[in-house]
Amino acid sequence: MDYENILINYENGIAIITINRPKKLNALNRATIAELHHAFEALELDSTVKVIIITGSGEKAFVAGADISEFAHFSVEQGEKLAAEGQAQLFDFVENLSTPVIAAVNGFALGGGLELAMACHFRVASDNARMGLPETSLGVIPGYGGTQRLPQLIGKGRAMEMIMTAGMIGTEKAFAYGLINHMVAQEELLPLCKKIAGKIMNNSPVAISEAIKAINAGYREGNGFEAEVKAFGECFGTEDFKEGTTAFLEKRKADFPGR
Ligand code: COA
């Protein structure tokens, strides 16, 4: 598939997806969501890709939201379909990938933009970033998982306030809230994400994917402990587990086959 709205670069086991509609502050139109789905699916199947980083083009925005011009005249049925399809195609899809996904939030992350960042496994932001769910100011609510993932990440009361006020928060507050894991100068954003990706890549890809599954199960299905037991057991049948434990006992660095 030829992409018109995203770029993908590969670097030592890391794939960097850049949403590339800077004139529209990287707003997520339907075409971009479809391209992102295709790209994430392809990268998940590519065993050379160990970590995915997603960011926005330009210095101003990660993603300034869903493309308002596309849904301004939608009916009730179309609105529901928009949310359901978007969640399945992109937001839930990203959250449930086996490959770790880091959001490198390089500017505005609003509405669907913050929802995309929240669907990623964790977030790192540059100090110019501004985050919020402004949907109630448009007469709608967050529809790409924002009413669920924001309270999961920062707590119910803070999420209620952010959604009700439709306000934006800067990186210091986002860091204090636990919405982002790190804040850095913009030029340090990708280098830091790559450094973290490097640490992740030292570890077993299979174990990481089982950990993602178990962590997500607690939020989605409410049976995280059960999911953890099952995922823990699964690890014992993998070559990665044999290699990891053998390497420890032999006092050498593990070289995980990823199986
Ligand atoms: N959907 C569609 N287009 C968007 C957009 C969105 N979510 N966010 C920004 N754009 C477009 C603007 O319409 C403008 O296009 P134009 O140049 O053709 O007029 C362009 O991106 C630049 O945005 P602009 O508003 O001029 O930049 P700004 O620096 O003055 O303001 C924001 C930046 C982020 C504060 C402002 O763009 C904004 O409020 N965007 C909408 C945020 C939002 O409500 N998102 C949730 C959607 S559910």
Side-chain angles (χ1 to χ4, degrees), residues 19 21 24-30 32-33 36 60-71 82 90-91 107-117 130-135 138 142-144 168:
I19 302 174
R21 299 182 75 214
K24 294 288 174 191
L25 303 186
N26 305 319
L28 292 176
N29 59 0
R30 247 172 309 180
T32 307
I33 289 178
L36 285 170
K60 198 168 165 185
F62 173 68
V63 171
D67 193 320
I68 298 168
S69 64
E70 279 192 348
F71 62 77
L82 180 76
L90 185 57
F91 300 82
F108 287 116
L110 301 174
L114 181 56
E115 289 173 301
L116 178 59
R130 309 268 297 150
M131 285 154 267
L133 293 178
E135 284 86 348
L138 297 167
Y144 287 148
M168 294 184 207

Side-chain angles (χ1 to χ4, degrees), residues 87-160:
Q87 290 190 17
Q89 225 184 341
L90 185 57
F91 300 82
D92 291 353
F93 192 77
V94 168
E95 183 172 67
N96 292 312
L97 288 177
S98 302
T99 313
V101 186
I102 306 172
V105 180
N106 59 310
F108 287 116
L110 301 174
L114 181 56
E115 289 173 301
L116 178 59
M118 292 193 294
C120 295
H121 297 125
F122 59 90
R123 291 140 293 285
V124 179
S126 56
D127 47 23
N128 63 314
R130 309 268 297 150
M131 285 154 267
L133 293 178
E135 284 86 348
T136 59
S137 72
L138 297 167
V140 69
I141 68 165
Y144 287 148
T147 65
Q148 303 307 301
R149 291 192 183 99
L150 189 62
Q152 285 168 8
L153 286 165
I154 71 172
K156 187 175 168 185
R158 288 164 170 169
M160 286 280 190

Side-chain angles (χ1 to χ4, degrees), residues 15 22 78 154 230-231:
Q78 286 172 310
I154 71 172
K230 195 161 184 308

Side-chain angles (χ1 to χ4, degrees), residues 197-244:
K199 288 187 187 173
I200 294 172
M201 286 191 287
N202 287 331
N203 303 320
S204 155
V206 182
I208 287 169
S209 77
E210 292 294 344
I212 292 171
K213 236 191 277 175
I215 292 167
N216 283 345
Y219 291 96
R220 175 66 69 158
E221 298 144 27
N223 63 354
F225 287 98
E226 242 174 70
E228 182 183 279
V229 169
K230 195 161 184 308
F232 181 78
E234 295 284 346
C235 292
F236 284 69
T238 67
E239 289 177 38
D240 277 10
F241 175 69
K242 281 189 191 71
E243 167 61 10

Side-chain angles (χ1 to χ4, degrees), residues 169-205:
I169 59 170
T171 39
E172 280 187 17
K173 194 172 252 189
F175 181 71
Y177 278 7
L179 185 54
I180 58 171
N181 291 10
H182 308 275
M183 52 179 171
V184 282
Q186 196 166 50
E187 60 275 16
E188 291 302 317
L189 181 61
L190 283 181
L192 176 60
C193 291
K194 288 179 198 170
K195 194 171 158 198
I196 299 169
K199 288 187 187 173
I200 294 172
M201 286 191 287
N202 287 331
N203 303 320
S204 155

